[in-house]
Amino acid sequence: MRIYPWPGQSALANALAPALADLDARTAALALHAFPDGETLVEVEPPAAGGDALIACTLDHPDARTVPLLLAARTLRELGAARVGLVAPYLAYMRQDRRFRPGQALSARGYAALLAAHFDGLVTVDPHLHRIRDLAEVYPIPVRVVHAAPALAAWIRDHVRDPLVIGPDGESAQWAADVAARAAAPLIVLNKQRLGDADVRVSVPDLARWPGRTPVLIDDIISSGRTAAAALAHLRAAGTLPPVCVAVHGLFAGDAYHELLEAGAARVVTTTSVAHAAAQIDIGALIAAGVRDLWRAPDAANPEIRP
Ligand code: R5P
């Protein structure tokens, strides 16, 4: 197996290669050249004849990445790769999972169709599954979903004394409940209303039952940060200890990271699915387990990857 790190993302591929020594994995070069007119030239180190190729590319900022990514996959196949896989710790476009207004794109399905046309398999971490219950509903290729909950819970156990886990909305309840159980912490789930990209309202129940606990806001994604900021404002007004924000994927649009710190977060911490100063929770070993499982039994029915 040759693992191709996306330019600027070598940490993931460098962690995967030694962890997958049993698959004879080693890293290989993938380079991009940006032409002045906005097109991109993709160049890959040819794979071993009949060998497998795995591109390691997390998919924040997906619009700029996707065309070169598809070209890279196609090129590897043309050059003789037997199987071309994708490890994308953050999988883009999963939140637009229905037409909220007639005429809107069903982005989750459309994006899945694009990737599935070029890759033989996909490994990702906690994709945003809400109205789509299972990634296999939209990805007609073998997929493995890696769950970060054990890593998030371990981080909370190690860094937060007497945590109170808080999910900011019903969609987060699935992750928050899993993390709370693993961290042996109580859980509350807030109600959220999103009125626009940057207009989020949440309601916080009476917190008097949890004196002395440190609120830990858990979400799958921090994007604009408005969800976490709205929850932080309520928690600070309720006089809690300074809350900690923990998420699987930190996209941090604009200056969201610093805005959350300014809004009163004691810390903002994410997994390494997207590179950022907040990405303190290493999930490389979990991802390697997902890749190994996919490679060894690609046709197994999407088993859950948990340690
Ligand atoms: C919502 O469906 C997700 O679970 C997150 O709560 C949401 O994506 C966070 O977005 P933002 O940071 O833009 O409020």
Side-chain angles (χ1 to χ4, degrees):
M1 176 195 284
R2 295 294 172 262
I3 304 179
Y4 293 83
W6 201 249
Q9 298 188 27
S10 53
L12 173 61
N14 289 342
L16 288 179
L20 295 171
D22 52 320
L23 298 178
D24 188 26
R26 73 167 174 82
T27 56
L30 186 163
L32 304 178
H33 171 74
F35 290 113
D37 59 11
E39 294 184 3
T40 302
L41 175 64
V42 177
E43 188 171 354
V44 295
E45 180 181 328
D52 292 330
L54 179 72
I55 300 179
C57 178
T58 205
L59 286 167
D60 58 308
H61 300 96
D63 291 12
R65 285 189 184 147
T66 301
V67 169
L69 178 64
L70 300 184
L71 290 172
R74 183 183 168 95
T75 306
L76 288 165
R77 200 180 301 285
E78 288 167 352
L79 294 178
R83 290 184 289 179
V84 182
L86 172 64
V87 53
Y90 173 66
L91 184 58
Y93 278 115
M94 288 301 294
R95 284 170 291 172
Q96 181 73 24
D97 57 1
R98 60 173 278 214
R99 289 186 221 284
F100 296 92
R101 284 202 302 273
Q104 287 185 338
L106 259 178
S107 309
R109 289 179 187 275
Y111 196 69
L114 282 176
L115 292 188
H118 291 80
F119 289 97
D120 299 307
L122 167 69
V123 178
T124 189
V125 179
D126 286 326
H128 185 83
L129 296 174
H130 181 204
R131 282 158 286 255
I132 295 166
R133 309 301 298 180
D134 185 330
L135 201 57
E137 282 176 35
V138 287
Y139 277 83
I141 53 174
V143 295
R144 291 296 182 276
V145 170
V146 172
H147 295 279
L152 301 188
W155 187 90
I156 293 168
R157 282 198 308 269
D158 290 348
H159 294 86
V160 184
R161 207 171 61 177
D162 294 332
L164 167 64
V165 171
I166 300 180
D169 55 24
E171 293 173 37
S172 69
Q174 52 184 316
W175 296 281
D178 194 5
V179 172
R182 289 169 186 271
L187 165 75
I188 59 174
V189 176
L190 313 183
N191 285 315
K192 176 171 99 176
Q193 243 194 316
R194 184 180 279 281
L195 305 173
D197 287 347
D199 188 0
V200 175
R201 306 200 184 156
V202 297
S203 60
V204 175
D206 182 11
L207 296 167
R209 284 178 64 200
W210 312 108
R213 291 218 169 235
T214 296
V216 180
L217 280 166
I218 292 279
D219 211 345
D220 61 330
I221 303 170
I222 297 175
S223 178
S224 68
R226 301 319 300 166
T227 300
L232 282 170
H234 280 282
L235 294 171
R236 299 307 284 142
T240 67
L241 292 172
V244 176
C245 297
V246 177
V248 180
H249 308 291
L251 304 181
F252 298 118
D255 202 20
Y257 174 68
H258 291 107
E259 286 166 8
L260 291 177
L261 294 175
E262 280 159 23
R267 288 186 75 170
V268 181
V269 179
T270 66
T271 75
T272 48
S273 73
V274 177
H276 191 275
Q280 299 293 320
I281 304 173
D282 186 12
I283 51 169
L286 286 172
I287 295 173
V291 173
R292 180 178 293 106
D293 194 76
L294 178 70
W295 238 251
R296 291 218 167 126
D299 296 324
N302 188 24
E304 298 205 331
I305 306 302
R306 292 179 188 272

